[in-house]
């Protein structure tokens, strides 16, 4: 009696599968299992994993193994933008008189401010602590690299603050600062490093692009026109964008479809939020095209609040930040000059983006600081009238911030997010 055929042989005959082919398939399966990780590395690039961030502080991003310049991860559950102000005798981190780079619009002590309490507050997150700002680490990280702040005068203030925070450890003859047109460059020669500021209040091309003469009431932005400025940003390693204040001219904003300066101009008037959304999308597209997320970092600083209406915090209807020496103590305070609809636009654009932009959410923590503005303690570029002198509220600057002061905290937060994202 013949022995029954083996089950594998029966299957081979039934399926008409050659024994040699069966052996080859078995070998391929074995190699795939053994070297599966290597195959993933080879082919994985074709199927990149994109995961949206869940919050504004962690915007939507393309997955990268490790964000450039990071030294570690932030503490679990820590939102460094949620916290409180605490008194700290170790602040300020530098003296106004020790930093010659502060513009006279921001030197409050030099221009007669009688108090210094606004300099001594430190931001304390609820669930963790900020790492101490380390000027040596910052400069070593910038060795052979460029850091640039792009935006309006508020971003220029943050740029100056960063320069003040690092310049003291650089010998006097090994540092310099130059300005040409829209670009200001602070150079640390021994590090072959630069910290730069580029004036572009809308990021896009506008009729307010002159770095000196730009006070134009009828503001106009050209649609999608970022390359006029963007060509000066190429090659930057750490980029810090901001744009907000200059868009706040009303509920509508004018967008030019054609080239600025043309005779036949096609101008569309759109809701400010839509105009702002266009600028945000254009910025993200530029970053995605020109900044490699494996080697560079892009930050966006949220809107800087103003304190032009004292009634917002329970003060006089005719008052503002003038003579304010204490901060707002309501943890839920949100001033009427900070438009949440614009904040929502930033969130929408960043959440949909696949490019990693780190959001510096300074709005809420700065909203408490009605005490930190330059107010009347700054250089006045035009002589004050007798009526203004009789009523200081009328010319108090409740937009910009004294240095040293609040904007140093913005850079402490930038430092934290750069090294511990």
């Amino acid at each position: 009696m013949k022995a029954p055929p083996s089950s594998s042989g029966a299957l081979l005959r039934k399926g008409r599968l050659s024994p040699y082919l069966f052996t080859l398939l078995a070998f391929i399966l074995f190699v795939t299992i053994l070297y599966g990780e290597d195959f993933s590395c080879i082919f994985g690039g074709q199927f990149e994993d994109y995961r949206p961030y869940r919050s504004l502080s962690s915007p939507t991003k393309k997955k990268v193994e490790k964000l450039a310049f990071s030294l570690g991860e932030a503490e679990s559950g820590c939102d460094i933008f949620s916290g409180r102000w605490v008194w700290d005798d170790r602040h300020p981190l530098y003296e106004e008189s020790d930093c010659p780079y502060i513009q006279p619009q921001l030197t409050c002590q030099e221009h007669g401010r009688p108090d210094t309490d606004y300099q001594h507050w430190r931001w304390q997150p609820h669930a963790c602590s900020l790492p101490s700002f380390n000027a040596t680490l910052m400069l070593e990280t910038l060795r052979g690299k460029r850091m640039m702040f792009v935006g309006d005068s508020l971003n220029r203030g943050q740029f100056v603050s960063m320069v003040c925070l690092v310049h003291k450890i650089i010998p006097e003859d090994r540092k310099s600062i130059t300005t040409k047109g829209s670009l200001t460059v602070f150079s640390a020669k021994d590090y072959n490093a630069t910290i730069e500021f580029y004036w572009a209040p809308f990021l896009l091309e506008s009729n307010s692009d002159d770095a000196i003469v730009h006070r134009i009431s009828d503001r106009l932005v050209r649609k999608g026109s970022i390359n006029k400025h963007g060509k000066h940003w190429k090659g930057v390693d750490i980029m810090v964008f901001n744009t907000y204040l200059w868009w706040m001219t009303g509920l509508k904003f004018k967008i030019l479809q054609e080239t600025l300066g043309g005779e036949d101009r096609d101008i569309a008037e759109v809701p400010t939020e839509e105009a702002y959304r266009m600028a945000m999308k254009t910025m993200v597209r530029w970053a995605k095209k020109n900044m490699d997320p494996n080697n560079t970092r892009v930050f966006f600083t949220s809107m800087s609040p103003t304190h032009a209406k004292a009634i917002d915090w329970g003060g006089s209807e005719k008052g503002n930040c003038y003579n304010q020496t204490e901060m707002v103590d309501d943890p839920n305070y949100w001033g009427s000059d900070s438009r949440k609809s614009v904040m929502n636009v930033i969130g929408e654009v960043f959440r949909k983006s696949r490019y990693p932009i780190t959001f510096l959410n300074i709005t809420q923590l700065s909203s408490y600081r009605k005490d930190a503005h330059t107010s009347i303690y700054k250089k006045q570029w035009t002589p004050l009238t007798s009526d203004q002198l009789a009523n200081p509220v009328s010319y108090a600057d409740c937009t910009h911030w004294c240095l040293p002061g609040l904007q140093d905290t913005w850079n402490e937060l930038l430092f934290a997010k750069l090294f511990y994202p």
Side-chain angles (χ1 to χ4, degrees), residues 274-319:
E274 290 306 309
Y276 192 79
R277 180 177 286 105
M278 175 202 67
M280 289 293 96
K281 288 182 176 180
T282 305
M283 180 199 73
V284 171
R285 283 195 297 269
W286 185 90
K288 185 176 181 181
K289 182 179 179 181
N290 294 281
M291 305 283 288
D292 180 357
N294 293 296
N295 304 310
T296 64
R297 289 286 294 280
V298 178
F299 295 83
F300 185 86
T301 304
S302 68
M303 52 192 179
S304 175
T306 63
H307 293 89
K309 302 173 184 176
I311 194 172
D312 284 353
W313 58 83
S316 165
E317 286 189 18
K318 296 181 179 180

Side-chain angles (χ1 to χ4, degrees), residues 59-336:
T60 305
K61 68 168 186 174
K62 177 180 177 180
K63 183 184 177 183
V64 292
E65 289 299 319
K66 180 183 178 183
L67 287 175
F69 309 110
S70 64
L71 300 178
E73 296 182 355
E75 295 180 39
S76 178
C78 174
D79 177 2
I80 62 172
F81 305 109
S82 176
R84 67 190 189 281
W85 289 100
V86 297
W87 184 267
D88 190 338
D89 287 324
R90 292 170 297 178
H91 281 62
L93 299 177
Y94 58 89
E95 296 296 331
E96 179 185 299
S97 58
D98 291 336
C99 187
Y101 308 105
I102 309 175
Q103 300 103 320
Q105 302 98 303
L106 308 178
T107 50
C108 298
Q109 293 297 306
E110 180 184 349
H111 288 91
R113 179 159 181 169
D115 66 301
T116 60
D117 284 3
Y118 66 93
Q119 299 180 352
H120 294 281
W121 294 100
R122 173 176 58 83
W123 182 248
Q124 175 61 57
H126 289 309
C128 56
S129 293
L130 289 176
S132 298
F133 187 92
N134 187 315
T136 301
L137 174 58
M138 179 61 76
L139 285 172
E140 285 294 344
T141 300
L142 289 176
R143 186 179 291 277
K145 294 180 172 59
R146 297 171 65 194
M147 180 181 202
M148 181 181 281
F149 294 80
V150 174
D152 58 23
S153 57
L154 289 159
N155 223 22
R156 180 168 53 205
Q158 190 175 356
F159 152 76
V160 173
S161 163
M162 180 62 76
V163 171
C164 291
L165 286 166
V166 303
H167 90 97
K168 199 168 184 179
I169 66 172
I170 306 171
E172 204 63 40
D173 62 343
R174 306 304 297 163
K175 57 192 173 186
S176 63
I177 192 165
T178 58
T179 298
K180 185 178 181 180
S182 296
L183 183 63
T184 299
V185 180
F186 172 82
S187 299
K189 298 175 184 178
D190 291 337
Y191 296 88
N192 188 28
T194 61
I195 302 173
E196 309 173 31
F197 169 73
Y198 186 94
W199 171 266
F202 296 100
L203 304 184
L204 307 181
E205 183 181 359
S206 76
N207 61 353
S208 301
D209 285 343
D210 190 300
I212 298 174
V213 183
H214 46 244
R215 293 188 177 278
I216 299 172
S217 58
D218 191 20
R219 296 171 184 172
L220 194 64
V221 166
R222 187 160 77 88
K223 183 178 181 181
S225 56
I226 200 168
N227 289 330
K228 176 195 172 184
H229 300 310
K231 64 185 179 183
H232 300 284
W233 311 338
K234 292 183 178 181
V236 168
D237 300 280
I238 301 173
M239 178 70 81
V240 186
F241 287 114
N242 97 310
T243 183
Y244 168 71
L245 184 66
W246 284 68
W247 296 91
M248 299 300 107
T249 57
L251 299 179
K252 298 281 187 178
F253 200 90
K254 292 180 179 179
I255 302 297
L256 177 66
Q257 310 294 329
E258 306 296 336
T259 305
L260 280 169
E263 293 183 4
D264 299 323
R265 300 194 299 177
D266 180 10
I267 298 176
E269 195 170 33
V270 302
T272 298
E273 286 76 10
E274 290 306 309
Y276 192 79
R277 180 177 286 105
M278 175 202 67
M280 289 293 96
K281 288 182 176 180
T282 305
M283 180 199 73
V284 171
R285 283 195 297 269
W286 185 90
K288 185 176 181 181
K289 182 179 179 181
N290 294 281
M291 305 283 288
D292 180 357
N294 293 296
N295 304 310
T296 64
R297 289 286 294 280
V298 178
F299 295 83
F300 185 86
T301 304
S302 68
M303 52 192 179
S304 175
T306 63
H307 293 89
K309 302 173 184 176
I311 194 172
D312 284 353
W313 58 83
S316 165
E317 286 189 18
K318 296 181 179 180
N320 57 20
C321 71
Y322 170 67
N323 214 24
Q324 296 294 320
T325 58
E326 296 181 358
M327 66 181 71
V328 177
D329 58 8
D330 178 5
N332 299 313
Y333 174 79
W334 187 274
S336 60

